[in-house]
PDB file of all heavy atoms in Angstrom:
ATOM      1  N   VAL B 205       3.036  10.733  -5.081  1.00  0.00           N
ATOM      2  CA  VAL B 205       3.910   9.953  -5.956  1.00  0.00           C
ATOM      3  C   VAL B 205       3.460  10.068  -7.396  1.00  0.00           C
ATOM      4  O   VAL B 205       4.298  10.422  -8.296  1.00  0.00           O
ATOM      5  CB  VAL B 205       3.980   8.475  -5.476  1.00  0.00           C
ATOM      6  CG1 VAL B 205       4.792   7.646  -6.448  1.00  0.00           C
ATOM      7  CG2 VAL B 205       4.633   8.421  -4.090  1.00  0.00           C
ATOM      8  N   PRO B 206       2.144   9.835  -7.734  1.00  0.00           N
ATOM      9  CA  PRO B 206       1.740   9.986  -9.104  1.00  0.00           C
ATOM     10  C   PRO B 206       1.913  11.432  -9.592  1.00  0.00           C
ATOM     11  O   PRO B 206       2.320  11.658 -10.764  1.00  0.00           O
ATOM     12  CB  PRO B 206       0.210   9.660  -9.149  1.00  0.00           C
ATOM     13  CG  PRO B 206       0.017   8.892  -7.868  1.00  0.00           C
ATOM     14  CD  PRO B 206       1.033   9.375  -6.881  1.00  0.00           C
ATOM     15  N   ALA B 207       1.770  12.394  -8.707  1.00  0.00           N
ATOM     16  CA  ALA B 207       1.932  13.829  -9.139  1.00  0.00           C
ATOM     17  C   ALA B 207       3.356  14.075  -9.456  1.00  0.00           C
ATOM     18  O   ALA B 207       3.687  14.743 -10.481  1.00  0.00           O
ATOM     19  CB  ALA B 207       1.481  14.714  -7.999  1.00  0.00           C
ATOM     20  N   LEU B 208       4.256  13.649  -8.625  1.00  0.00           N
ATOM     21  CA  LEU B 208       5.743  13.871  -8.910  1.00  0.00           C
ATOM     22  C   LEU B 208       6.090  13.180 -10.227  1.00  0.00           C
ATOM     23  O   LEU B 208       6.900  13.731 -10.985  1.00  0.00           O
ATOM     24  CB  LEU B 208       6.576  13.287  -7.801  1.00  0.00           C
ATOM     25  CG  LEU B 208       6.765  14.128  -6.541  1.00  0.00           C
ATOM     26  CD1 LEU B 208       7.535  13.363  -5.441  1.00  0.00           C
ATOM     27  CD2 LEU B 208       7.533  15.390  -6.924  1.00  0.00           C
ATOM     28  N   HIS B 209       5.532  12.027 -10.434  1.00  0.00           N
ATOM     29  CA  HIS B 209       5.866  11.249 -11.679  1.00  0.00           C
ATOM     30  C   HIS B 209       5.222  11.862 -12.890  1.00  0.00           C
ATOM     31  O   HIS B 209       5.950  12.170 -13.892  1.00  0.00           O
ATOM     32  CB  HIS B 209       5.387   9.835 -11.492  1.00  0.00           C
ATOM     33  CG  HIS B 209       5.796   8.919 -12.626  1.00  0.00           C
ATOM     34  ND1 HIS B 209       7.072   8.760 -12.935  1.00  0.00           N
ATOM     35  CD2 HIS B 209       5.057   8.154 -13.430  1.00  0.00           C
ATOM     36  CE1 HIS B 209       7.131   7.949 -13.995  1.00  0.00           C
ATOM     37  NE2 HIS B 209       5.963   7.543 -14.315  1.00  0.00           N
ATOM     38  N   LEU B 210       3.908  12.196 -12.819  1.00  0.00           N
ATOM     39  CA  LEU B 210       3.265  12.726 -13.961  1.00  0.00           C
ATOM     40  C   LEU B 210       3.518  14.186 -14.268  1.00  0.00           C
ATOM     41  O   LEU B 210       3.702  14.584 -15.446  1.00  0.00           O
ATOM     42  CB  LEU B 210       1.734  12.453 -13.823  1.00  0.00           C
ATOM     43  CG  LEU B 210       1.228  11.047 -13.799  1.00  0.00           C
ATOM     44  CD1 LEU B 210      -0.190  10.990 -13.303  1.00  0.00           C
ATOM     45  CD2 LEU B 210       1.417  10.448 -15.216  1.00  0.00           C
ATOM     46  N   VAL B 211       3.496  15.003 -13.194  1.00  0.00           N
ATOM     47  CA  VAL B 211       3.651  16.445 -13.403  1.00  0.00           C
ATOM     48  C   VAL B 211       5.055  16.840 -13.507  1.00  0.00           C
ATOM     49  O   VAL B 211       5.535  17.683 -14.338  1.00  0.00           O
ATOM     50  CB  VAL B 211       2.911  17.256 -12.244  1.00  0.00           C
ATOM     51  CG1 VAL B 211       3.094  18.714 -12.392  1.00  0.00           C
ATOM     52  CG2 VAL B 211       1.500  16.828 -12.125  1.00  0.00           C
ATOM     53  N   CYS B 212       5.968  16.313 -12.688  1.00  0.00           N
ATOM     54  CA  CYS B 212       7.345  16.750 -12.569  1.00  0.00           C
ATOM     55  C   CYS B 212       8.346  15.908 -13.364  1.00  0.00           C
ATOM     56  O   CYS B 212       9.504  16.203 -13.460  1.00  0.00           O
ATOM     57  CB  CYS B 212       7.795  16.893 -11.156  1.00  0.00           C
ATOM     58  SG  CYS B 212       6.856  17.890 -10.108  1.00  0.00           S
ATOM     59  N   ASN B 213       7.760  14.769 -13.921  1.00  0.00           N
ATOM     60  CA  ASN B 213       8.611  13.933 -14.726  1.00  0.00           C
ATOM     61  C   ASN B 213       9.714  13.229 -13.971  1.00  0.00           C
ATOM     62  O   ASN B 213      10.746  12.874 -14.502  1.00  0.00           O
ATOM     63  CB  ASN B 213       9.271  14.787 -15.876  1.00  0.00           C
ATOM     64  CG  ASN B 213       8.988  14.094 -17.255  1.00  0.00           C
ATOM     65  OD1 ASN B 213       8.174  13.225 -17.369  1.00  0.00           O
ATOM     66  ND2 ASN B 213       9.604  14.672 -18.287  1.00  0.00           N
ATOM     67  N   VAL B 214       9.480  13.047 -12.651  1.00  0.00           N
ATOM     68  CA  VAL B 214      10.429  12.282 -11.825  1.00  0.00           C
ATOM     69  C   VAL B 214      10.152  10.745 -12.040  1.00  0.00           C
ATOM     70  O   VAL B 214       9.039  10.349 -11.961  1.00  0.00           O
ATOM     71  CB  VAL B 214      10.266  12.688 -10.360  1.00  0.00           C
ATOM     72  CG1 VAL B 214      11.223  11.865  -9.434  1.00  0.00           C
ATOM     73  CG2 VAL B 214      10.455  14.192 -10.161  1.00  0.00           C
ATOM     74  N   PRO B 215      11.187   9.952 -12.183  1.00  0.00           N
ATOM     75  CA  PRO B 215      11.011   8.524 -12.363  1.00  0.00           C
ATOM     76  C   PRO B 215      10.285   7.956 -11.147  1.00  0.00           C
ATOM     77  O   PRO B 215      10.494   8.429 -10.038  1.00  0.00           O
ATOM     78  CB  PRO B 215      12.376   7.923 -12.544  1.00  0.00           C
ATOM     79  CG  PRO B 215      13.229   9.082 -12.984  1.00  0.00           C
ATOM     80  CD  PRO B 215      12.625  10.295 -12.428  1.00  0.00           C
ATOM     81  N   MET B 216       9.541   6.896 -11.361  1.00  0.00           N
ATOM     82  CA  MET B 216       8.694   6.279 -10.315  1.00  0.00           C
ATOM     83  C   MET B 216       9.413   6.018  -9.038  1.00  0.00           C
ATOM     84  O   MET B 216       8.968   6.370  -7.961  1.00  0.00           O
ATOM     85  CB  MET B 216       8.019   5.052 -10.841  1.00  0.00           C
ATOM     86  CG  MET B 216       6.742   4.669 -10.234  1.00  0.00           C
ATOM     87  SD  MET B 216       5.540   5.990 -10.504  1.00  0.00           S
ATOM     88  CE  MET B 216       4.549   5.762  -9.016  1.00  0.00           C
ATOM     89  N   LYS B 217      10.584   5.348  -9.184  1.00  0.00           N
ATOM     90  CA  LYS B 217      11.366   4.941  -8.031  1.00  0.00           C
ATOM     91  C   LYS B 217      11.789   6.206  -7.173  1.00  0.00           C
ATOM     92  O   LYS B 217      11.698   6.176  -5.969  1.00  0.00           O
ATOM     93  CB  LYS B 217      12.559   4.129  -8.469  1.00  0.00           C
ATOM     94  CG  LYS B 217      13.128   3.310  -7.342  1.00  0.00           C
ATOM     95  CD  LYS B 217      14.224   2.382  -7.848  1.00  0.00           C
ATOM     96  CE  LYS B 217      13.603   1.050  -8.336  1.00  0.00           C
ATOM     97  NZ  LYS B 217      14.618   0.013  -8.736  1.00  0.00           N
ATOM     98  N   ALA B 218      12.263   7.174  -7.878  1.00  0.00           N
ATOM     99  CA  ALA B 218      12.704   8.455  -7.239  1.00  0.00           C
ATOM    100  C   ALA B 218      11.542   9.173  -6.646  1.00  0.00           C
ATOM    101  O   ALA B 218      11.664   9.810  -5.532  1.00  0.00           O
ATOM    102  CB  ALA B 218      13.533   9.285  -8.216  1.00  0.00           C
ATOM    103  N   ALA B 219      10.406   9.174  -7.372  1.00  0.00           N
ATOM    104  CA  ALA B 219       9.197   9.838  -6.964  1.00  0.00           C
ATOM    105  C   ALA B 219       8.749   9.230  -5.570  1.00  0.00           C
ATOM    106  O   ALA B 219       8.454   9.926  -4.619  1.00  0.00           O
ATOM    107  CB  ALA B 219       8.132   9.727  -7.907  1.00  0.00           C
TER     108      ALA B 219
END
Side-chain angles (χ1 to χ4, degrees):
Chain B
V205 176
L208 277 174
H209 186 56
L210 293 167
V211 179
C212 302
N213 236 6
V214 176
M216 204 62 209
K217 197 172 277 187

